Amino acid sequence: MDWFQALVLALIQGLTEFLPISSSAHLILPSQVLGWPDQGLAFDVAVHLGTLMAVMAYYRRDLVAMIGGAGQAVTQRTMNDDLKLGLLVVLATIPAVLFGFLGDDWIERELRSALVIAVTTLVFGALLWAADAFGKRQFSLVRLGIVGAIFIGLAQALALIPGTSRSGITITAALALGYQREDAARFSFLLSIPVILGAGLLKTKDLIEQQLAVDWGLMALGAVVSAITAYLTIVFFIRLLERIGMLPFVVYRLILGIALLAWLA
């Protein structure tokens, strides 16, 4: 992988990680369509680190509040909204961890193809449209409880399938439950923090065990570019969400899915 390819892939990671269009699909497609070499484990670690830094920076106040809420709960021996939100994030993460542990190897071996991406892009794009169009969009995160968190967490587990989109499927689930767009996105993005952190740690462990050669320059480029791009993407997505809704992303997914099917035909 050369510097140009690294720059493009880092931009793709930053742009697509938090938009409901599937970052995994867009990172697979250059090798499938353009014949680019696989970006490698080290670069995966770098761009995941970049997007993790971006979402933690954007939601730093929520993270500080959840930590403070835990401390307050210990001293006052009572539940509070900040601790509750943190516990629901942890609870909703469990299904993805379990499904990832049980099926990740099979998914990596059998489902990383342009055909799977085309189908999931279309199917889950349609579900996103339905949830956005027919969801009540009247609840805030204060109303979220254990059942809702588990439902969103189970939806997140489906994002292990390339083309699904982790943010897309969790926002879809939250919208289907009747949550407002911004609250659906907020919970989705908070939910991404333990998921990205866990995936990054596992990839780092594999990288150390395999003792692969690391191009530190490319890794630094990937981390910095993906971090800046992801942060700006979150900022603009949240600001425009109520105004534009999910339809532009649904249309993009439909165009991408149909184009892939045509390319495969």
Side-chain angles (χ1 to χ4, degrees), residues 71-94:
Q72 182 181 347
V74 171
T75 57
Q76 298 182 1
R77 297 183 180 180
T78 183
M79 180 63 69
N80 55 72
D81 289 340
D82 293 322
L83 175 59
K84 175 189 172 186
L85 179 59
L87 292 175
L88 290 176
V89 168
V90 172
L91 178 64
T93 303
I94 293 174

PDB file of all heavy atoms in Angstrom, residues 71-94:
ATOM      1  N   GLY A  71     -19.322   8.014  40.170  1.00  0.00           N
ATOM      2  CA  GLY A  71     -18.803   8.447  41.467  1.00  0.00           C
ATOM      3  C   GLY A  71     -19.905   8.953  42.375  1.00  0.00           C
ATOM      4  O   GLY A  71     -19.923   8.652  43.589  1.00  0.00           O
ATOM      5  N   GLN A  72     -20.837   9.703  41.815  1.00  0.00           N
ATOM      6  CA  GLN A  72     -21.955  10.222  42.595  1.00  0.00           C
ATOM      7  C   GLN A  72     -22.834   9.087  43.117  1.00  0.00           C
ATOM      8  O   GLN A  72     -23.313   9.136  44.258  1.00  0.00           O
ATOM      9  CB  GLN A  72     -22.783  11.174  41.737  1.00  0.00           C
ATOM     10  CG  GLN A  72     -23.954  11.812  42.458  1.00  0.00           C
ATOM     11  CD  GLN A  72     -24.764  12.727  41.554  1.00  0.00           C
ATOM     12  OE1 GLN A  72     -24.333  13.086  40.462  1.00  0.00           O
ATOM     13  NE2 GLN A  72     -25.946  13.097  42.002  1.00  0.00           N
ATOM     14  N   ALA A  73     -23.046   8.073  42.285  1.00  0.00           N
ATOM     15  CA  ALA A  73     -23.866   6.939  42.706  1.00  0.00           C
ATOM     16  C   ALA A  73     -23.231   6.194  43.876  1.00  0.00           C
ATOM     17  O   ALA A  73     -23.928   5.714  44.771  1.00  0.00           O
ATOM     18  CB  ALA A  73     -24.078   5.987  41.531  1.00  0.00           C
ATOM     19  N   VAL A  74     -21.900   6.111  43.873  1.00  0.00           N
ATOM     20  CA  VAL A  74     -21.197   5.419  44.965  1.00  0.00           C
ATOM     21  C   VAL A  74     -21.342   6.202  46.266  1.00  0.00           C
ATOM     22  O   VAL A  74     -21.623   5.623  47.326  1.00  0.00           O
ATOM     23  CB  VAL A  74     -19.710   5.230  44.605  1.00  0.00           C
ATOM     24  CG1 VAL A  74     -18.936   4.713  45.824  1.00  0.00           C
ATOM     25  CG2 VAL A  74     -19.566   4.258  43.445  1.00  0.00           C
ATOM     26  N   THR A  75     -21.150   7.530  46.183  1.00  0.00           N
ATOM     27  CA  THR A  75     -21.189   8.342  47.407  1.00  0.00           C
ATOM     28  C   THR A  75     -22.610   8.518  47.934  1.00  0.00           C
ATOM     29  O   THR A  75     -22.836   8.524  49.145  1.00  0.00           O
ATOM     30  CB  THR A  75     -20.565   9.725  47.148  1.00  0.00           C
ATOM     31  OG1 THR A  75     -21.260  10.362  46.055  1.00  0.00           O
ATOM     32  CG2 THR A  75     -19.092   9.587  46.799  1.00  0.00           C
ATOM     33  N   GLN A  76     -23.579   8.666  47.011  1.00  0.00           N
ATOM     34  CA  GLN A  76     -24.959   8.913  47.433  1.00  0.00           C
ATOM     35  C   GLN A  76     -25.814   7.652  47.467  1.00  0.00           C
ATOM     36  O   GLN A  76     -26.955   7.683  47.926  1.00  0.00           O
ATOM     37  CB  GLN A  76     -25.601   9.946  46.507  1.00  0.00           C
ATOM     38  CG  GLN A  76     -24.914  11.302  46.530  1.00  0.00           C
ATOM     39  CD  GLN A  76     -25.607  12.320  45.636  1.00  0.00           C
ATOM     40  OE1 GLN A  76     -26.623  12.032  45.003  1.00  0.00           O
ATOM     41  NE2 GLN A  76     -25.060  13.524  45.587  1.00  0.00           N
ATOM     42  N   ARG A  77     -25.257   6.569  46.954  1.00  0.00           N
ATOM     43  CA  ARG A  77     -25.953   5.278  46.937  1.00  0.00           C
ATOM     44  C   ARG A  77     -27.319   5.373  46.271  1.00  0.00           C
ATOM     45  O   ARG A  77     -28.326   4.849  46.762  1.00  0.00           O
ATOM     46  CB  ARG A  77     -26.095   4.726  48.354  1.00  0.00           C
ATOM     47  CG  ARG A  77     -24.756   4.436  49.018  1.00  0.00           C
ATOM     48  CD  ARG A  77     -24.928   3.818  50.376  1.00  0.00           C
ATOM     49  NE  ARG A  77     -23.641   3.547  51.000  1.00  0.00           N
ATOM     50  CZ  ARG A  77     -23.495   3.004  52.219  1.00  0.00           C
ATOM     51  NH1 ARG A  77     -24.582   2.676  52.922  1.00  0.00           N
ATOM     52  NH2 ARG A  77     -22.283   2.784  52.710  1.00  0.00           N
ATOM     53  N   THR A  78     -27.330   6.022  45.117  1.00  0.00           N
ATOM     54  CA  THR A  78     -28.563   6.146  44.349  1.00  0.00           C
ATOM     55  C   THR A  78     -28.241   6.249  42.869  1.00  0.00           C
ATOM     56  O   THR A  78     -27.159   6.732  42.496  1.00  0.00           O
ATOM     57  CB  THR A  78     -29.368   7.383  44.790  1.00  0.00           C
ATOM     58  OG1 THR A  78     -30.593   7.428  44.060  1.00  0.00           O
ATOM     59  CG2 THR A  78     -28.591   8.663  44.537  1.00  0.00           C
ATOM     60  N   MET A  79     -29.151   5.783  42.036  1.00  0.00           N
ATOM     61  CA  MET A  79     -28.963   5.840  40.592  1.00  0.00           C
ATOM     62  C   MET A  79     -29.179   7.266  40.104  1.00  0.00           C
ATOM     63  O   MET A  79     -29.941   8.040  40.678  1.00  0.00           O
ATOM     64  CB  MET A  79     -29.938   4.887  39.899  1.00  0.00           C
ATOM     65  CG  MET A  79     -29.831   4.859  38.379  1.00  0.00           C
ATOM     66  SD  MET A  79     -28.236   4.263  37.785  1.00  0.00           S
ATOM     67  CE  MET A  79     -28.351   2.523  38.260  1.00  0.00           C
ATOM     68  N   ASN A  80     -28.494   7.632  39.020  1.00  0.00           N
ATOM     69  CA  ASN A  80     -28.705   8.926  38.382  1.00  0.00           C
ATOM     70  C   ASN A  80     -28.697   8.723  36.874  1.00  0.00           C
ATOM     71  O   ASN A  80     -28.282   7.674  36.376  1.00  0.00           O
ATOM     72  CB  ASN A  80     -27.633   9.939  38.813  1.00  0.00           C
ATOM     73  CG  ASN A  80     -26.219   9.443  38.549  1.00  0.00           C
ATOM     74  OD1 ASN A  80     -25.779   9.380  37.395  1.00  0.00           O
ATOM     75  ND2 ASN A  80     -25.503   9.062  39.619  1.00  0.00           N
ATOM     76  N   ASP A  81     -29.144   9.738  36.122  1.00  0.00           N
ATOM     77  CA  ASP A  81     -29.307   9.594  34.670  1.00  0.00           C
ATOM     78  C   ASP A  81     -27.982   9.350  33.952  1.00  0.00           C
ATOM     79  O   ASP A  81     -27.931   8.606  32.966  1.00  0.00           O
ATOM     80  CB  ASP A  81     -29.985  10.841  34.095  1.00  0.00           C
ATOM     81  CG  ASP A  81     -31.455  10.932  34.482  1.00  0.00           C
ATOM     82  OD1 ASP A  81     -32.036   9.891  34.850  1.00  0.00           O
ATOM     83  OD2 ASP A  81     -32.009  12.047  34.412  1.00  0.00           O
ATOM     84  N   ASP A  82     -26.905   9.969  34.419  1.00  0.00           N
ATOM     85  CA  ASP A  82     -25.609   9.808  33.758  1.00  0.00           C
ATOM     86  C   ASP A  82     -25.081   8.383  33.919  1.00  0.00           C
ATOM     87  O   ASP A  82     -24.605   7.774  32.940  1.00  0.00           O
ATOM     88  CB  ASP A  82     -24.589  10.811  34.319  1.00  0.00           C
ATOM     89  CG  ASP A  82     -24.939  12.248  33.964  1.00  0.00           C
ATOM     90  OD1 ASP A  82     -25.410  12.472  32.840  1.00  0.00           O
ATOM     91  OD2 ASP A  82     -24.743  13.134  34.811  1.00  0.00           O
ATOM     92  N   LEU A  83     -25.163   7.845  35.122  1.00  0.00           N
ATOM     93  CA  LEU A  83     -24.733   6.462  35.341  1.00  0.00           C
ATOM     94  C   LEU A  83     -25.633   5.497  34.578  1.00  0.00           C
ATOM     95  O   LEU A  83     -25.156   4.512  33.985  1.00  0.00           O
ATOM     96  CB  LEU A  83     -24.755   6.125  36.831  1.00  0.00           C
ATOM     97  CG  LEU A  83     -24.437   4.665  37.181  1.00  0.00           C
ATOM     98  CD1 LEU A  83     -23.062   4.260  36.676  1.00  0.00           C
ATOM     99  CD2 LEU A  83     -24.546   4.442  38.688  1.00  0.00           C
ATOM    100  N   LYS A  84     -26.929   5.769  34.576  1.00  0.00           N
ATOM    101  CA  LYS A  84     -27.869   4.914  33.851  1.00  0.00           C
ATOM    102  C   LYS A  84     -27.494   4.830  32.375  1.00  0.00           C
ATOM    103  O   LYS A  84     -27.475   3.739  31.789  1.00  0.00           O
ATOM    104  CB  LYS A  84     -29.287   5.451  33.996  1.00  0.00           C
ATOM    105  CG  LYS A  84     -30.323   4.684  33.179  1.00  0.00           C
ATOM    106  CD  LYS A  84     -31.667   5.404  33.186  1.00  0.00           C
ATOM    107  CE  LYS A  84     -32.634   4.750  32.206  1.00  0.00           C
ATOM    108  NZ  LYS A  84     -33.907   5.504  32.084  1.00  0.00           N
ATOM    109  N   LEU A  85     -27.180   5.982  31.772  1.00  0.00           N
ATOM    110  CA  LEU A  85     -26.797   5.992  30.358  1.00  0.00           C
ATOM    111  C   LEU A  85     -25.540   5.168  30.133  1.00  0.00           C
ATOM    112  O   LEU A  85     -25.450   4.390  29.176  1.00  0.00           O
ATOM    113  CB  LEU A  85     -26.592   7.427  29.879  1.00  0.00           C
ATOM    114  CG  LEU A  85     -26.166   7.598  28.418  1.00  0.00           C
ATOM    115  CD1 LEU A  85     -27.193   6.990  27.472  1.00  0.00           C
ATOM    116  CD2 LEU A  85     -25.954   9.082  28.093  1.00  0.00           C
ATOM    117  N   GLY A  86     -24.551   5.327  31.016  1.00  0.00           N
ATOM    118  CA  GLY A  86     -23.322   4.554  30.888  1.00  0.00           C
ATOM    119  C   GLY A  86     -23.568   3.061  30.991  1.00  0.00           C
ATOM    120  O   GLY A  86     -23.004   2.265  30.221  1.00  0.00           O
ATOM    121  N   LEU A  87     -24.414   2.645  31.921  1.00  0.00           N
ATOM    122  CA  LEU A  87     -24.723   1.221  32.086  1.00  0.00           C
ATOM    123  C   LEU A  87     -25.478   0.675  30.878  1.00  0.00           C
ATOM    124  O   LEU A  87     -25.264  -0.466  30.470  1.00  0.00           O
ATOM    125  CB  LEU A  87     -25.540   1.015  33.364  1.00  0.00           C
ATOM    126  CG  LEU A  87     -24.803   1.274  34.686  1.00  0.00           C
ATOM    127  CD1 LEU A  87     -25.757   1.147  35.860  1.00  0.00           C
ATOM    128  CD2 LEU A  87     -23.624   0.320  34.846  1.00  0.00           C
ATOM    129  N   LEU A  88     -26.358   1.489  30.293  1.00  0.00           N
ATOM    130  CA  LEU A  88     -27.092   1.049  29.107  1.00  0.00           C
ATOM    131  C   LEU A  88     -26.159   0.901  27.907  1.00  0.00           C
ATOM    132  O   LEU A  88     -26.351  -0.004  27.081  1.00  0.00           O
ATOM    133  CB  LEU A  88     -28.214   2.042  28.784  1.00  0.00           C
ATOM    134  CG  LEU A  88     -29.381   2.065  29.780  1.00  0.00           C
ATOM    135  CD1 LEU A  88     -30.377   3.148  29.404  1.00  0.00           C
ATOM    136  CD2 LEU A  88     -30.071   0.704  29.853  1.00  0.00           C
ATOM    137  N   VAL A  89     -25.154   1.762  27.808  1.00  0.00           N
ATOM    138  CA  VAL A  89     -24.149   1.620  26.747  1.00  0.00           C
ATOM    139  C   VAL A  89     -23.406   0.300  26.908  1.00  0.00           C
ATOM    140  O   VAL A  89     -23.195  -0.439  25.933  1.00  0.00           O
ATOM    141  CB  VAL A  89     -23.168   2.811  26.768  1.00  0.00           C
ATOM    142  CG1 VAL A  89     -21.963   2.518  25.874  1.00  0.00           C
ATOM    143  CG2 VAL A  89     -23.859   4.083  26.302  1.00  0.00           C
ATOM    144  N   VAL A  90     -23.010  -0.014  28.135  1.00  0.00           N
ATOM    145  CA  VAL A  90     -22.316  -1.280  28.397  1.00  0.00           C
ATOM    146  C   VAL A  90     -23.220  -2.462  28.065  1.00  0.00           C
ATOM    147  O   VAL A  90     -22.801  -3.426  27.405  1.00  0.00           O
ATOM    148  CB  VAL A  90     -21.870  -1.348  29.875  1.00  0.00           C
ATOM    149  CG1 VAL A  90     -21.312  -2.741  30.204  1.00  0.00           C
ATOM    150  CG2 VAL A  90     -20.810  -0.284  30.159  1.00  0.00           C
ATOM    151  N   LEU A  91     -24.476  -2.399  28.512  1.00  0.00           N
ATOM    152  CA  LEU A  91     -25.429  -3.487  28.259  1.00  0.00           C
ATOM    153  C   LEU A  91     -25.635  -3.707  26.769  1.00  0.00           C
ATOM    154  O   LEU A  91     -25.651  -4.854  26.286  1.00  0.00           O
ATOM    155  CB  LEU A  91     -26.758  -3.166  28.934  1.00  0.00           C
ATOM    156  CG  LEU A  91     -27.895  -4.176  28.723  1.00  0.00           C
ATOM    157  CD1 LEU A  91     -27.539  -5.519  29.348  1.00  0.00           C
ATOM    158  CD2 LEU A  91     -29.207  -3.638  29.326  1.00  0.00           C
ATOM    159  N   ALA A  92     -25.789  -2.619  26.017  1.00  0.00           N
ATOM    160  CA  ALA A  92     -26.046  -2.732  24.581  1.00  0.00           C
ATOM    161  C   ALA A  92     -24.821  -3.203  23.809  1.00  0.00           C
ATOM    162  O   ALA A  92     -24.946  -3.628  22.649  1.00  0.00           O
ATOM    163  CB  ALA A  92     -26.518  -1.386  24.035  1.00  0.00           C
ATOM    164  N   THR A  93     -23.652  -3.157  24.427  1.00  0.00           N
ATOM    165  CA  THR A  93     -22.421  -3.615  23.775  1.00  0.00           C
ATOM    166  C   THR A  93     -22.278  -5.130  23.833  1.00  0.00           C
ATOM    167  O   THR A  93     -21.638  -5.745  22.968  1.00  0.00           O
ATOM    168  CB  THR A  93     -21.191  -2.956  24.438  1.00  0.00           C
ATOM    169  OG1 THR A  93     -21.333  -1.533  24.371  1.00  0.00           O
ATOM    170  CG2 THR A  93     -19.900  -3.357  23.755  1.00  0.00           C
ATOM    171  N   ILE A  94     -22.893  -5.750  24.822  1.00  0.00           N
ATOM    172  CA  ILE A  94     -22.692  -7.183  25.072  1.00  0.00           C
ATOM    173  C   ILE A  94     -23.074  -8.061  23.877  1.00  0.00           C
ATOM    174  O   ILE A  94     -22.314  -8.977  23.514  1.00  0.00           O
ATOM    175  CB  ILE A  94     -23.456  -7.609  26.342  1.00  0.00           C
ATOM    176  CG1 ILE A  94     -22.826  -6.935  27.566  1.00  0.00           C
ATOM    177  CG2 ILE A  94     -23.440  -9.135  26.506  1.00  0.00           C
ATOM    178  CD1 ILE A  94     -23.589  -7.175  28.866  1.00  0.00           C
TER     179      ILE A  94
END
